Amino acid sequence: MSTPADKPEVVELPVAPAIVPSARHRRATTQRVREARDRLTSTSGTRPAFDHELLRQYAQTRLSASFVVMLLLVATGVLFGFWMAPAAAAAWTFGMLCIHAVIIYNCKGYLKEPSSATSTRKWRARFILFDLLYGLCWTTILVHPAGSDPVTNTLMMFLMLLVVAVSSMLSASLPIAALAATAPVTSAIAFKFAMGGSFNNYILAILTLTAEGFFALLAHRLHSTTLATLEARAEKDALIGELEQAKAISDEARHRAESANVAKSRFLAQMSHELRTPLNAILGFSEVMKSEIFGEHAVAVYKSYSADIHNSGVHLLNLINEILDLSRIEAGRYELNEEAVSLVHVVTECHHLLKLRASNRGITIHEVFEQGMPRIWGDERATRQIVLNLLSNAIKFTPQGGEIWLKAGWTASGGQYLSVKDNGSGIAEDEIPIVLASFGQGSNSIKSAEQGAGLGLPIAKSLIDMHGGTFTLRSKLRVGTEVIVTFPPERVMSALAPMAEEGPPLQPAQAGDHTAEERRRLRNKPIMNAGTGLRV
């Protein structure tokens, strides 16, 4: 009996993590694909837009140098009139001027015509053909002088270099046209030097070909520089376009956010009025029912129900107030009513307000205050709200029989600080940014039976930021939490130094303090001289 084969072990290969390309990588990839597509559709290996711009520069260069080229043609015709028949030199000069006029006319026509891919290819081929004809006409006259004496060779070399240099500079935006204009000239001159048969002629032929290579390389370098300039300008224009588009999107988003903020403020203002009106009735009637002002309830449980209704109404009213305060702070409409405030006095009052609540839970609150601290310049209501929010959170998350420390004193820079520290459950380090955000709650807050809206710490942080202070939250799980708020030294009101100059006397000087002359004048002064016009 055959035994079944063992079940093959299946090994699960680790799955490679998905690589999410960044926005910059996607943008660079898209740009490379676009550039490759443009080069494939272009006749010169560059973008079609660059082909048009390069031809524009070629035409503009030809037009700007038309007068110089005309002078060169006339001077060459006059010079060659001494080596050949004047009629032939005049005919060559006239023919070259006609070709030059045709090139100028076509350059002007190209600049007036709107750009398109088809017309760019047509004009590009036309300009190359004109430059080839231009170079062949130069060849006819440069190879004409007879003889191989040094003067003739020098003249031919000089004119060849001049023609090649001028043509390379004029056609640098179109390297093929530059090659078409210079290659016939240099090839004919090099061939004529090589046919001389002497060593010197061979050297001149090599120098001619070397000069052609040098100017061809120079034209290529100029073309590369021009192309790089065009690419840089295109990238700058694209970047400017993206920035303008991003600015437009940002402005539109800002307008939408402002509109939403206005709508939210109107909604909250309307809803605060609509909610507070019935809440006042709920709180008032539930307070009457809880206190049994008009007599005891027939059913005792109604009293506890009334107390629950009153407590729920108070909680809802506090929540509405917190939402309104936070919305005003975020909208920048919360104005500080600044005055001289004693930080120790505010903390003491808040301690007395919440002392009963802490005593019901068996929590001990310790006060550690530095004595003799001057007042600070700030909003008393905002300062009181900061202390109440921090102390309420500490009482809420401190277990039965826990301890809370309230500290107030000087900072190292000369400001004043307030510290609220408890030995509660604490906050995880990764949850600190969450609890400091609006409506953010940590895991301990969610598990707690006494939950809040998550607005106490954000409101306290925003209020202390409006005072120019700092808000620091330090916490460790199962150890406790400490919140430290500081007021800057600029808000501490230091006592003024005594005045150096003596003030006026509080009482008039006595008669015994006057000199003898003053006492005599006082005795002679009339008792009543009002309205008499007399002067003493």
Side-chain angles (χ1 to χ4, degrees), residues 311-522:
N311 294 334
S312 300
V314 171
H315 176 72
L316 183 57
L317 182 61
N318 293 333
L319 180 60
I320 293 173
N321 292 332
E322 287 181 348
I323 293 176
L324 290 176
D325 289 340
L326 184 63
S327 64
R328 282 197 298 267
I329 292 173
E330 290 180 350
R333 297 181 180 180
Y334 192 99
E335 297 182 359
L336 296 178
N337 185 16
E338 297 176 330
E339 56 182 336
V341 180
S342 175
L343 182 60
V344 175
H345 179 69
V346 172
V347 175
T348 304
E349 286 187 351
C350 295
H351 178 199
H352 288 312
L353 289 175
L354 300 177
K355 187 175 183 180
L356 180 60
R357 180 181 172 187
S359 301
N360 293 335
R361 302 188 57 178
I363 299 174
T364 304
I365 300 179
H366 305 280
E367 292 183 348
V368 182
F369 301 149
E370 292 189 18
Q371 301 299 323
M373 289 198 306
R375 296 174 179 266
I376 59 175
W377 187 255
D379 190 335
E380 183 176 359
R381 178 181 174 275
T383 307
R384 194 182 306 276
Q385 188 172 3
I386 292 171
V387 179
L388 287 176
N389 289 351
L390 298 182
L391 189 54
S392 298
N393 276 354
I395 296 174
K396 183 188 302 183
F397 298 107
T398 301
Q400 295 283 343
E403 294 180 334
I404 297 175
W405 287 266
L406 286 176
K407 300 179 182 180
W410 292 96
T411 62
S413 60
Q416 295 185 9
Y417 77 93
L418 164 68
S419 171
V420 181
K421 184 179 181 181
D422 62 70
N423 58 354
S425 57
I427 306 171
E429 185 177 357
D430 56 344
E431 293 182 353
I432 291 180
I434 298 177
V435 300
L436 292 179
S438 301
F439 302 98
Q441 295 181 352
S443 56
N444 292 334
S445 176
I446 297 175
K447 297 175 183 177
S448 176
E450 188 179 358
Q451 296 185 11
L455 297 176
L457 292 179
I459 290 176
K461 184 178 183 303
S462 300
L463 291 177
I464 195 63
D465 289 341
M466 293 179 66
H467 283 82
T470 60
F471 184 95
T472 306
L473 175 61
R474 301 172 182 171
S475 184
K476 190 174 182 181
L477 284 176
R478 293 180 294 276
V479 175
T481 304
E482 182 180 11
V483 180
I484 303 174
V485 296
T486 63
F487 291 88
E490 295 80 10
R491 290 193 171 271
V492 178
M493 302 178 64
S494 302
L496 297 176
M499 296 182 62
E501 299 180 358
E502 297 183 359
L506 298 178
Q507 296 181 354
Q510 301 296 329
D513 297 337
H514 296 287
T515 60
E517 181 64 23
E518 290 177 348
R519 286 197 296 270
R520 185 184 63 80
R521 293 181 58 188
L522 289 174

